[in-house]
Amino acid sequence: YDEDMPGFVLKLSRTSAGALRATFLLRYGGRGRMRTYTIGRYGEYDVQGAREEAERVLGLYRDGHDPVEERKEARRVPTLTEWADEYLKEVELRKKSHREDKRFLGLAKQRWGSKPLDKITTDAVQRWFNAIAESHKITANRALASLRACLQAAWRRDKITGNPAMKVRPAQIRTMTLTA
């Protein structure tokens, strides 16, 4: 425990391999609601850097924020419905033909609406795509393109670690060429 800053702690623990690990923590709160905020490992932070981070976190707490809860909320993976609704708001601002995205993402929301984004698998996307493609290949390709774009935006914002729709191949559409 730090003598100058109450709640600022260097915790020593052993890894599964038996090595010693040192982690900076900040304990704050009171009235039965003590919170522990992990600052980071020794090496990633030196003592002064960890103390500055602890001061920043305490400042947020004093201003009425709860950094532990904010960190948990930032890590929470949204459901497809939550993310698609957020994504569609942005699409409406930048695309003239956003109705198609809304329609196709509506099909995806029917399938996985309450499922967290990180629980949607490539196999599930492939089955969904195949079901649509059985009767409407062009519609299936457009639905896949909308889902890919939506999940790619989630990946760019670190909501998911990968885009399962990127591994699904669009259906091949036969075209006829007319010769004169």
Side-chain angles (χ1 to χ4, degrees), residues 148-162:
R148 278 181 174 175
C150 179
L151 294 177
Q152 194 67 18
W155 174 78
R156 280 194 304 275
R157 293 215 185 142
D158 292 327
K159 303 288 183 187
I160 53 177
T161 58

Side-chain angles (χ1 to χ4, degrees), residues 119-142:
K119 301 298 182 205
I120 299 172
T121 65
T122 300
D123 288 339
V125 174
Q126 184 70 61
R127 287 190 302 275
W128 173 76
F129 174 78
N130 291 345
I132 299 169
E134 281 180 16
S135 55
H136 305 287
K137 287 185 180 183
I138 292 172
T139 300
N141 285 347
R142 290 179 180 167

